[in-house]
């Protein structure tokens, strides 16, 4: 099922991002709200710190991330982009749970195990997680997202033995559309210090910094 290259697998995960920014007044110290689920600034900062330390010590992850086809930006080029990339994935994990419900698929522990095995065959699940911009302890979260995408696309008629099959291509488009619709229907708020979501680019645009603007919460 997961016979594609590492760079395409990572691209699929990153491209799955669909967030809807809106105003609100949640608690200070909040990086994002996804429905009733709160991602804290401290949680996000810890993930990025752990990722940086682990990434530097993993040559396989470095090689993956250096690949021009990898959409993840290079370490050290822009520390803020590292944070935005990590936050995007943390939000994606939560949206994907709703997508699975919408599609009527159950993502069991066995499915996640299969996704981990598939990522291991592509170069190592933990290294792929690091190349994607998250620390190793997020590996199963990333695998769950990959498993969710595969299960939903299969529900839409994808044939992973032939990824050029028009049915598989259509299933991929349906996955993206469902992910976007699901995110749009959820209450998702991003702390302005991290930027704003651009639905056309499927990414968080850099924040516009103002000296007088506090950044302790949304």
């Amino acid at each position: 099922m997961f016979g594609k290259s590492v760079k395409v697998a990572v691209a699929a995960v990153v491209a799955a991002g669909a967030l809807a920014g809106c105003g609100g007044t949640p608690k200070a110290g909040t990086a994002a709200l996804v429905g009733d689920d709160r991602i804290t600034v401290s949680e996000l900062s810890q993930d990025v710190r752990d990722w940086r330390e682990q990434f530097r010590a993993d040559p396989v992850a470095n090689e993956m991330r250096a690949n021009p086809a990898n959409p993840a930006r290079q370490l050290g080029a822009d520390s803020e982009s590292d944070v935005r990339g990590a936050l995007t994935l943390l939000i994606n994990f939560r949206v994907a749970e709703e997508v699975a419900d919408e599609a009527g698929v159950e993502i069991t522990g066995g499915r996640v195990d299969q996704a981990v095995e598939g990522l291991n065959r592509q170069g190592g699940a933990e290294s792929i997680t690091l190349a994607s911009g998250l620390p190793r302890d997020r590996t199963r979260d990333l695998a769950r997202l990959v498993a969710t995408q595969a299960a939903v696309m299969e529900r839409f008629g994808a044939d992973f033995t032939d990824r050029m099959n028009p049915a598989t291509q259509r299933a991929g488009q349906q996955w993206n559309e469902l992910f976007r619709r699901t995110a749009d229907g959820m209450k998702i708020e991003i702390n302005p210090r991290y930027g704003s979501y651009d639905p056309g680019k499927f990414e968080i645009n850099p924040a516009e910094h103002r000296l007088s603007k506090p950044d302790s919460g949304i």
Side-chain angles (χ1 to χ4, degrees):
M1 178 184 298
F2 300 102
K4 297 186 76 176
S5 66
V6 169
K7 60 187 179 183
V8 177
V10 174
V13 170
V14 177
L19 313 178
C22 58
T25 56
K27 299 177 182 178
T30 297
L33 285 175
V34 185
D36 295 328
D37 196 357
R38 178 174 178 246
I39 301 172
T40 68
V41 172
S42 60
E43 173 189 3
L44 175 61
S45 298
Q46 186 65 57
D47 272 343
V48 173
R49 284 195 299 270
D50 290 346
W51 166 72
R52 281 181 169 273
E53 179 179 354
Q54 295 169 14
F55 176 80
R56 289 190 177 97
D58 189 318
V60 175
N62 275 264
E63 183 177 354
M64 291 177 186
R65 196 174 176 92
N67 191 309
N70 188 340
R73 294 179 179 161
Q74 304 308 304
L75 179 66
D78 180 357
S79 61
E80 292 184 356
S81 70
D82 297 338
V83 176
R84 290 195 302 272
L87 181 58
T88 296
L89 283 174
L90 293 178
I91 294 172
N92 288 347
F93 295 156
R94 290 154 172 81
V95 175
E97 294 177 4
E98 295 296 324
V99 172
D101 289 341
E102 289 289 333
V105 299
E106 181 182 3
I107 309 303
T108 63
R111 280 185 178 270
V112 177
D113 290 340
Q114 290 176 359
V116 171
E117 292 173 3
L119 294 174
N120 279 332
R121 290 193 296 270
Q122 296 178 37
E126 290 188 347
S127 292
I128 291 173
T129 302
L130 290 171
S132 300
L134 287 176
R136 294 189 185 96
D137 62 5
R138 294 289 186 178
T139 296
R140 286 191 68 81
D141 293 328
L142 183 66
R144 180 174 292 276
L145 176 54
V146 172
T148 300
Q149 181 177 10
V152 172
M153 287 180 62
E154 285 177 340
R155 176 62 58 89
F156 290 148
D159 176 6
F160 289 108
T161 65
D162 181 7
R163 292 180 180 270
M164 298 307 296
N165 186 315
T168 304
Q169 300 296 315
R170 286 194 299 271
Q173 294 172 355
Q174 288 176 289
W175 156 264
N176 287 335
E177 291 168 1
L178 177 58
F179 203 105
R180 182 182 297 107
R181 290 199 309 270
T182 301
D184 285 343
M186 299 173 67
K187 179 183 178 182
I188 299 177
E189 304 173 33
I190 301 174
N191 187 323
R193 70 184 286 189
Y194 301 116
S196 60
Y197 181 71
D198 185 338
K201 296 180 181 178
F202 291 101
E203 66 182 17
I204 298 176
N205 287 329
E208 295 181 3
H209 295 291
R210 296 185 177 89
L211 294 177
S212 60
K213 186 175 181 180
D215 63 0
S216 60
I218 297 177

